[in-house]
Amino acid sequence: GVIPTHAEQRGVSRSRIVRKAFLPRRMCKQTLKQRKLETVAGTGNEDEVLIKGTWYKIDKFVKRHPGGRILNFYKGKDASQAYREFHTRSERADRLLKTLKSRNAIKGESTTDNDALVKDFVQMRAQLEKEGFFKPNYFHVFYRFAEIIAMHVLGLYLLFQGWTIAGLAVLGVAEGRCGWLMHEGGHNSLTGYIPFDHALQVLTYGAGCGMSAAWWRNQHNKHHAMPQKLEHDVDLNTLPLVLFNLDAATHQKKAPKSKTWIRMQAALFPNLICSLVAMFWQMYLHPRHSLRTKHYDELACMGIRWGFIFGVLPNYFGFWNTLLCALVANGMGATYIFVNFAVSHTHLPVVQAKDDVSWVVYAAKHTMNVKSGAGKWVDWWMSYLNFQIEHHLFPSMPQFRHPEVSKRVQKLFAKHNIPYLTMSYTEAMKVTFSNLDHVGHAFYG
């Protein structure tokens, strides 16, 4: 197997195991040398963050920061890249920034002063923006929405024609693709107009998946800020249902843990665990967040979804048949999107809570890409999020541009002797489920 023994997660880094299995020998040697991780520059106080050459005082602003406590991640550090990527199109963010007390940084305090990789990345990003890579394509947006509408219509048609399994499969994939689409809306990269993108996200995620867009943005931005960092990346807080990394267990002390369940997680993850996660989000976590934060538009969109499923369809199929079909389709949709998200991070190394690396290193060493495949079918299947390295470098860039940008990113990484980790779809699935099995047995002891 890809993961030789269950003792290796404690003694051998995940990066060595994964890359030795799949990377060319030359790149593997570079990885094993473990190019020193660049720390995030910054000599400011705990009540300051550094943004584009200026230290801003945030002690009184943290509690009213629209993005939540993510600001705490950057206390005393350089947040320039994170600010640029999260607020590319936000004039409001720039206005708020000007209201804070500030002081000029001195030479050497910025990451770009000390890190040649980050400096080259900033220059490359500026060039990409100049060339129009961050501009939206309205035809592409229209196509994406037309696709999910057509898939829902086809799925319902098949159900009414008696092709139950085929209809549920189409509806499940359509639900998953609503998740892909709302993801792009949450990153403000659909139309480029933030209020409209958020409205599209609310509609797509609420009616298409029964979930909260505001909750997703709050949590997902923390993941993007510091992927695979313990006590920072919320995607590592997965207990009691699943555990992707042993180190993550020690940082979730209050979470209930069943060794027997975790031991079986590789077999349970597709459909059962994915379904339970989706239902917990849909039935409790997300509507609760929408209600507490007064996002009534989200609740209305969720109501449209459940009203159609349980208010209209039982008239034709009966309540119990409708409930069973809804559970099956929901499970298919959850498995489709959660499993495909899992291949990008879950088997890669974690960053310890007290350690820091640069924005570029987070993307380079704690995410990976999946090859496009024959006819670029993986690009469609994963809605271009198989280019996770590019997505984490440029989260506000329209995702369909990632394949073209990837060529430049590879050159940047090669210049600085950083491996560009990519696998085939089959290899990515193999290593993801091998990791689930390995962690499950190691946790069981």
Side-chain angles (χ1 to χ4, degrees):
V2 175
I3 311 300
T5 69
H6 65 259
E8 287 170 337
Q9 187 160 359
R10 299 189 186 275
V12 180
S13 72
R14 285 286 311 146
S15 60
R16 290 189 179 188
I17 295 171
V18 173
R19 289 170 175 150
K20 185 175 181 180
F22 293 110
L23 286 178
R25 182 174 297 178
R26 177 179 61 84
M27 294 183 70
C28 185
K29 288 181 179 179
Q30 292 173 352
T31 304
L32 293 178
K33 289 179 181 178
Q34 288 295 303
R35 179 183 184 274
K36 185 178 180 180
L37 299 181
E38 297 83 350
T39 57
V40 178
T43 56
N45 300 318
E46 281 293 302
D47 61 353
E48 294 179 311
V49 295
L50 177 60
I51 299 175
K52 301 178 183 179
T54 302
W55 287 102
Y56 292 93
K57 196 173 179 61
I58 59 168
D59 55 334
K60 297 180 180 179
F61 179 66
V62 170
K63 291 184 179 180
R64 58 188 180 91
H65 177 230
R69 67 181 181 88
I70 187 175
L71 197 57
N72 292 324
F73 293 0
Y74 294 98
K75 286 183 175 180
K77 302 173 185 177
D78 189 346
S80 299
Q81 277 66 55
Y83 180 86
R84 181 181 291 109
E85 298 306 328
F86 292 147
H87 302 301
T88 294
R89 301 179 176 90
S90 177
E91 295 179 358
R92 180 191 178 199
D94 291 337
R95 289 197 300 270
L96 284 174
L97 199 61
K98 292 177 181 178
T99 66
L100 304 180
K101 292 183 179 180
S102 63
R103 64 181 178 86
N104 293 331
I106 61 176
K107 185 71 175 179
E109 291 184 328
S110 172
T111 307
T112 54
D113 293 338
N114 307 295
D115 190 332
L117 171 62
V118 174
K119 185 176 181 179
D120 285 349
F121 164 73
V122 171
Q123 291 175 350
M124 181 180 72
R125 190 197 185 283
Q127 182 61 33
L128 290 171
E129 189 166 14
K130 183 178 180 181
E131 294 178 25
F133 279 91
F134 287 83
K135 292 182 179 179
N137 183 307
Y138 299 120
F139 177 79
H140 180 77
V141 176
F142 174 81
Y143 155 73
R144 294 282 297 278
F145 275 94
E147 177 190 72
I148 61 171
I149 292 172
M151 291 186 73
H152 279 94
V153 171
L154 175 61
L156 289 170
Y157 174 79
L158 291 171
L159 280 183
F160 277 95
Q161 295 301 311
W163 295 81
T164 304
I165 301 301
L168 293 178
V170 172
L171 290 173
V173 173
E175 179 178 332
R177 296 193 70 76
C178 283
W180 296 127
L181 185 52
M182 78 83 200
H183 176 278
E184 189 147 12
H187 282 295
N188 312 322
S189 56
L190 283 174
T191 68
Y193 179 57
I194 294 176
F196 192 51
D197 277 1
H198 285 186
L200 292 176
Q201 186 196 21
V202 168
L203 176 63
T204 308
Y205 207 30
C209 302
M211 299 179 187
S212 163
W215 181 93
W216 181 91
R217 289 194 301 270
N218 180 277
Q219 299 296 301
H220 193 66
N221 283 342
K222 294 171 186 173
H223 160 71
H224 264 273
M226 298 180 177
Q228 294 293 96
K229 182 171 181 175
L230 296 169
E231 299 181 13
H232 293 72
D233 184 356
V234 294
D235 286 3
L236 291 171
N237 302 332
T238 53
L239 288 171
L241 289 178
V242 66
L243 180 65
F244 295 112
N245 188 287
L246 286 177
D247 286 343
T250 62
H251 291 266
Q252 299 176 73
K253 296 179 180 179
K254 296 183 179 180
K257 305 173 182 71
S258 169
K259 288 189 174 182
T260 303
W261 178 274
I262 297 300
R263 184 179 183 179
M264 300 187 296
Q265 65 179 1
L268 298 177
F269 186 63
N271 207 285
L272 182 56
I273 291 178
C274 292
S275 295
L276 290 174
V277 171
M279 287 190 290
F280 176 69
W281 285 9
Q282 292 166 329
M283 298 296 105
Y284 174 71
L285 190 62
H286 285 229
R288 175 175 173 265
H289 181 272
S290 297
L291 187 62
R292 292 179 64 181
T293 56
K294 300 180 181 180
H295 282 93
Y296 301 121
D297 53 341
E298 296 180 348
L299 292 171
C301 290
M302 295 178 201
I304 291 172
R305 172 186 174 83
W306 302 122
F308 178 77
I309 292 175
F310 294 109
V312 176
L313 294 182
N315 295 323
Y316 301 94
F317 302 103
F319 176 78
W320 294 110
N321 282 338
T322 300
L323 177 62
L324 178 61
C325 288
L327 289 173
V328 171
N330 202 51
M332 288 180 176
T335 299
Y336 165 46
I337 197 162
F338 289 153
V339 169
N340 281 296
F341 266 128
V343 303
S344 302
H345 302 285
T346 59
H347 51 85
L348 294 174
V350 296
V351 178
Q352 296 301 313
K354 295 182 179 180
D355 294 338
D356 283 315
V357 299
S358 71
W359 180 271
V360 185
V361 170
Y362 271 122
K365 297 199 173 185
H366 303 283
T367 69
M368 57 148 281
N369 286 4
V370 181
K371 296 177 182 178
S372 297
K376 300 184 178 180
W377 71 272
V378 180
D379 293 357
W380 177 84
W381 183 244
M382 296 181 67
S383 291
Y384 298 102
L385 286 174
N386 49 317
F387 290 88
Q388 276 289 306
I389 295 173
E390 287 70 28
H391 177 58
H392 271 262
L393 289 173
F394 315 108
S396 59
M397 178 184 288
Q399 292 159 194
F400 74 93
R401 301 193 191 277
H402 290 162
E404 185 175 356
V405 171
S406 68
K407 301 172 185 176
R408 301 195 194 187
V409 174
Q410 290 180 55
K411 291 181 180 178
L412 174 69
F413 284 13
K415 177 182 177 181
H416 293 274
N417 296 316
I418 296 180
Y420 184 86
L421 183 55
T422 182
M423 303 180 190
S424 71
Y425 190 78
T426 302
E427 289 170 338
M429 284 295 170
K430 183 179 179 182
V431 74
T432 299
F433 280 92
S434 293
N435 178 64
L436 282 167
D437 183 63
H438 158 64
V439 173
H441 281 77
F443 186 74
Y444 187 80

